[in-house]
């Protein structure tokens, strides 16, 4: 954006940090209809293959003493299972496949996005917003189905002084509806920002004097992004669990 | 903001950015791609969900449960073996104690037997010794009696001889009476 104009001023430098996020039809053509296979479709497909490789192919031997691949699959399973059980309790366990799907999809999409020239589906608000809205709608519907109107007790802080409760109720209500927004923008924003920053540093590498610094900076950012890839998937998943807990046990 | 910068870059480098300009400044906000993104995302999620819930998660869960079962079984077996070892040790100790008691009993019995034999032998020996002692005493008494008689005879003879030697006339009867009187003291 700003760097676009900046690059144009300097003449030699060309910055297109956001071009990597453009959704393009995979087999030529200009229009992107709802069914057109795009570069996003390709990388979503790679994410599916990665999930299958990590969780299905690696466990095909069903070894009692696990190998490397199976250890990773078991680790992922145990990690999310424990998270769901710890936060949501025993009733939350039936949502485990759903939460595991979210986690594995985000982790695989994030890490595949770290491959140079790759496309990162989780950097798009459309994608993360759908993920977050699915959680939001699930939690809201589940909350009312399971608790009836008692679910509204979530907004009525009974431990606060009576005079404060209406005010708190409004704040709670706003924060409840802001959840899907923050939930989705946190993930897409982090991923997008990291990728864009790497691209900006890469643009500077065109100047010979700065290029060593640029390469170092790209390396450092890449390391940070690897961390962010995992941490954001973790954060998204744990927040999903926390929201789900609200639906299952709405009392404060 | 995105559209603003979009305009700025439009003005600055029209030709260079001709391709990129077809998309807005932030491709994330290219709303015409949203249906496409959402459609493929939902397809992806459904596929991943089916793969996980039908294949991957039950399989991994079964593997973990099986391992847990194996570990539990092994632990139980180890516990069993440990109990058996303790049992064996107890049996060994019991056998040892039994053997020791048996040995003590045998020793005591033997000692008692020996004691009985010993007592018998001692009694027999005592009786023999007593008999021998009585015999010896009798012999000594005889000898003593014999000696007294001899002494009297010798004394009478000697006294008679002395009387004769001193020029007297030895009256055998008187001498014998005198010796007898002397010897009685």
């Amino acid at each position: 954006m700003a760097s676009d104009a900046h690059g144009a001023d300097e003449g030699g430098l060309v910055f297109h940090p956001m071009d990597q996020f453009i959704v393009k039809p995979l087999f030529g053509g200009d229009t992107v209809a709802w069914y057109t296979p795009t570069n996003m479709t390709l990388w979503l497909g790679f994410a599916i293959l990665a999930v299958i490789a990590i969780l299905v192919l690696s466990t095909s031997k069903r070894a009692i003493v696990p190998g490397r691949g199976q250890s990773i699959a078991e680790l992922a399973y145990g990690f999310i299972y424990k998270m769901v059980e710890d936060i949501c309790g025993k009733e939350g366990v039936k949502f485990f496949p759903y939460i595991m799907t979210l986690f594995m999809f985000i982790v695989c999409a994030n890490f595949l996005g770290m491959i140079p020239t790759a496309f990162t589906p989780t950097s798009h608000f459309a994608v993360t917003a759908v993920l977050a809205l699915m959680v939001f709608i699930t939690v809201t519907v589940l909350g009312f189905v399971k608790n009836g109107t008692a679910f509204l007790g979530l907004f009525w802080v009974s431990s606060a002084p009576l005079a404060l409760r209406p005010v708190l109720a409004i704040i709670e209500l706003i924060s409840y509806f802001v959840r899907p927004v923050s939930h989705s923008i946190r993930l897409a924003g982090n991923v997008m920002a990291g990728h864009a920053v790497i691209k900006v540093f890469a643009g500077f590498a065109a100047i010979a004097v700065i290029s060593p610094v640029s390469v170092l900076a790209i390396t450092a950012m890449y390391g940070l992004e690897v961390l962010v890839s995992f941490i954001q998937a973790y954060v998204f998943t744990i927040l999903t669990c926390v929201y789900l807990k609200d639906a299952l046990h709405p009392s404060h | 903001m995105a559209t603003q910068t979009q305009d700025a870059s439009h003005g600055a480098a029209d030709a260079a950015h001709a391709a990129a300009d077809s998309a807005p400044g932030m491709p994330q906000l290219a709303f015409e791609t949203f249906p496409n993104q959402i459609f493929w995302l939902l397809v992806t999620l459904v596929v991943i969900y089916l793969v996980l819930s039908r294949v991957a998660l039950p399989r991994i869960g079964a593997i973990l449960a099986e391992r847990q079962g194996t570990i539990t079984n092994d632990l139980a077996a180890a516990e069993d073996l440990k109990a058996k070892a303790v049992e064996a040790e107890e049996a060994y100790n019991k056998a040892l104690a039994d053997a020791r008691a048996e040995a003590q009993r045998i020793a005591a019995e033997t000692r008692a037997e020996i004691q009985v034999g010993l007592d018998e032998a001692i009694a027999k020996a005592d009786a023999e010794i007593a008999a021998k002692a009585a015999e010896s005493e009798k012999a000594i008494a005889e000898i003593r009696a014999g000696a007294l008689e001899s002494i009297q005879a010798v004394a009478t003879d000697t006294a008679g001889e002395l009387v004769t030697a001193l020029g007297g006339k030895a009256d055998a009867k008187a001498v014998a009476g005198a010796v007898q009187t002397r010897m009685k003291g």
Side-chain angles (χ1 to χ4, degrees), chain B residues 123-142:
Chain B
K124 206 170 152 197
D126 278 352
E128 264 168 36
I129 288 166
K132 283 243 169 85
E135 232 167 72
S136 306
E137 235 157 77
K138 206 167 136 199
I140 288 166
E142 262 170 32

Side-chain angles (χ1 to χ4, degrees), chain A residues 16 33 36 56 64 74 123, chain B residues 17 27-28 36 40 52 59 67:
Chain A
H16 297 297
T36 314
V56 178
I64 287 290
E74 286 173 11
S123 66
Chain B
H17 291 159
Q28 278 84 353
N36 179 278
W40 288 112
L52 289 193
R59 186 190 286 177
R67 175 168 321 139

